[in-house]
Amino acid sequence: MASLGNALLGALLGHSEAEKMFRPWWDSLEDFVIYGLIMLGLIVSPTTIFNGTPLFCTQCVKEGQCSTYPSTPDDPGYHIYFVKSYCTMHSLTMFTLYFPYILLLSALLLAGIERLFSRVFKTNIQIDGFSTLLKHEASASPGSGEISENNEKLEDTIKTVEIRQSFRDSNSFFSAYLLRTIIELLVGLALSFYMVWFGMQEIERDKNVYCNVHNVYYECSGIPHQFYLSVLIVALGLMILYLATTSITIIWLLCPCWGNLARLMRNYIGELQRVAVSEGKEIKSAKELTGELYEIYYENRDLRLLLDLLAATSGLASPLRVMALLDKSFRRDCAPIIHSLERGEVINGECDVVLEFSESHLGFSRSDL
């Protein structure tokens, strides 16, 4: 059962390596909720009622036996299996009858929303291009920390130019991400309302089933009532978690100042203004102070969202490297100042290297990060 759930999850929620780079914790949490709904559906599926009815029915022969329904002392001669099948399909509520499939279809619907928007808006193209730039930058930067000449030239390569041009005057990725999240919230609210308003009542109603078979009443029982209620409560808990994550995502999208990268970049403008004041220069607007970086991050919603997602997934280092590649002045402002590099005496083939450096004049404090 777990392997089947993993297969379904892989088919529905499988993501490429590029997509995983821009998938923050709230998207992963939504995937967990969908996986949980799939597993609940698989757990309940062996009790699917119309495949093998668990009902056992007895004829109402005594007055008051079937609540307010009339009794029939005479045996009508209906076959017991006919009565069971008839009562299963005609007296049980739709929610109880199809409960496992409702859980599975809910998960499929939530997972399908993201797939649909990815196909319609073709957001994977931008993500793949951005991921290619990151991988190219990583391969150009040696792990020892030395500055490579290729790294200096990378900003002028075709990949860098393509990235900047593909995001110029573009808001499609941001619009798709926001619209997708809003629809996920609305669909999640609708599913939660259906489970609470109809699911609870219908499962409770089917605790004892009174069935009219051609004007002869039968009392039926056998529905795993308490089990269904427990599974439904767990499913509602997952839906509440899903609604919370989508709500947080919408707030984060509309108020991006909450992100770590957004705070850092806001402080970056403050540092530029402080440096300008200390040098006796006239305080300029943010656009004049940041130059090309203003178009890259502050003015472009798509590129800013991808950088914020990358920061939420991988930390601040990766988006800062990307912005340094796209804007030479930003890279120069953030680079440390090397004062001296001295090599000590070689002893047994080894020596000490003394490096004296300081933060750039725009160095941020730990609280800024």
Side-chain angles (χ1 to χ4, degrees):
M1 186 176 298
S3 59
L4 179 58
N6 289 328
L8 286 172
L9 186 65
L12 293 173
L13 303 175
H15 304 290
S16 64
E17 291 298 323
E19 290 173 329
K20 291 177 181 179
M21 294 176 64
F22 302 93
R23 197 159 189 85
W25 63 266
W26 51 83
D27 282 340
S28 300
L29 198 57
E30 290 177 9
D31 290 347
F32 169 78
V33 171
I34 295 173
Y35 178 77
L37 291 175
I38 291 175
M39 292 307 299
L40 288 177
L42 294 176
I43 290 172
V44 182
S45 59
T47 66
T48 305
I49 292 173
F50 62 85
N51 282 341
T53 174
L55 286 183
F56 291 92
C57 302
T58 182
Q59 183 182 343
C60 301
V61 295
K62 296 180 180 180
E63 198 69 31
Q65 176 184 346
C66 298
S67 184
T68 59
Y69 296 100
S71 58
T72 305
D74 299 330
D75 185 1
Y78 299 138
H79 196 282
I80 187 62
Y81 289 106
F82 166 76
V83 174
K84 290 175 59 174
S85 300
Y86 186 93
C87 292
T88 297
M89 302 308 300
H90 291 83
S91 296
L92 291 178
T93 59
M94 294 294 292
F95 192 91
T96 304
L97 195 61
Y98 299 104
F99 181 48
Y101 297 99
I102 289 174
L103 294 176
L104 291 173
L105 288 176
S106 298
L108 292 175
L109 180 59
L110 295 177
I113 294 174
E114 181 177 353
R115 290 292 187 183
L116 176 64
F117 274 85
S118 178
R119 293 292 179 87
V120 172
F121 288 90
K122 298 180 179 179
T123 55
N124 287 342
I125 297 177
Q126 293 173 307
I127 290 178
D128 290 340
F130 212 80
S131 173
T132 302
L133 178 64
L134 284 171
K135 291 178 180 178
H136 193 87
E137 187 272 341
S139 62
S141 300
S144 60
E146 297 176 357
I147 300 176
S148 172
E149 293 181 359
N150 293 331
N151 202 27
E152 293 288 337
K153 299 177 181 179
L154 188 58
E155 63 182 359
D156 298 322
T157 62
I158 295 177
K159 293 183 183 300
T160 312
V161 174
E162 285 180 347
I163 289 295
R164 296 191 60 173
Q165 290 299 322
S166 65
F167 284 96
R168 187 178 295 276
D169 300 325
S170 173
N171 289 319
S172 60
F173 184 82
F174 177 85
S175 301
Y177 199 94
L178 178 61
L179 184 59
R180 185 204 83 188
T181 309
I182 292 174
I183 292 179
E184 286 176 341
L185 177 63
L186 295 177
V187 172
L189 283 171
L191 290 174
S192 300
F193 176 79
Y194 176 68
M195 290 181 183
V196 172
W197 188 258
F198 293 98
M200 289 287 189
Q201 292 184 3
E202 292 187 3
I203 290 179
E204 192 66 35
R205 173 187 166 188
D206 291 335
K207 184 177 182 180
N208 290 311
V209 180
Y210 299 102
C211 176
N212 183 358
V213 183
H214 305 307
N215 297 323
V216 179
Y217 280 87
Y218 289 82
E219 181 181 17
C220 304
S221 184
I223 301 297
H225 162 264
Q226 195 61 44
F227 175 61
Y228 275 17
L229 276 181
S230 300
V231 172
L232 182 58
I233 290 173
V234 174
L236 285 172
L238 291 174
M239 291 305 303
I240 291 173
L241 184 61
Y242 186 86
L243 294 175
T245 55
T246 51
S247 300
I248 292 173
T249 304
I250 292 174
I251 296 173
W252 180 79
L253 287 171
L254 299 179
C255 303
C257 55
W258 282 7
N260 292 333
L261 182 61
R263 289 197 299 270
L264 179 67
M265 298 308 294
R266 186 170 61 250
N267 292 334
Y268 174 66
I269 293 180
E271 290 291 334
L272 288 176
Q273 292 174 340
R274 182 185 62 79
V275 171
V277 171
S278 64
E279 295 177 354
K281 298 179 181 179
E282 181 183 355
I283 298 180
K284 302 177 181 180
S285 64
K287 186 173 184 179
E288 292 175 326
L289 284 171
T290 54
E292 292 184 355
L293 187 63
Y294 191 84
E295 296 180 0
I296 294 172
Y297 181 79
Y298 297 98
E299 201 172 43
N300 192 309
R301 281 187 165 185
D302 281 4
L303 195 50
R304 176 172 181 164
L305 176 57
L306 277 171
L307 289 169
D308 286 340
L309 289 174
L310 185 60
T313 306
S314 307
L316 291 172
S318 295
L320 289 177
R321 287 206 310 268
V322 172
M323 287 189 288
L325 290 172
L326 298 176
D327 184 19
K328 182 187 294 185
S329 62
F330 179 74
R331 181 177 63 199
R332 184 178 60 251
D333 289 340
C334 295
I337 301 173
I338 299 177
H339 299 289
S340 64
L341 177 63
E342 298 180 0
R343 182 178 180 181
E345 183 181 355
V346 178
I347 301 176
N348 297 328
E350 297 181 356
C351 68
D352 294 330
V353 176
V354 179
L355 174 64
E356 183 180 352
F357 70 96
S358 62
E359 292 182 346
S360 69
H361 61 286
L362 294 176
F364 299 105
S365 64
R366 187 176 297 273
S367 60
D368 295 330
L369 301 177

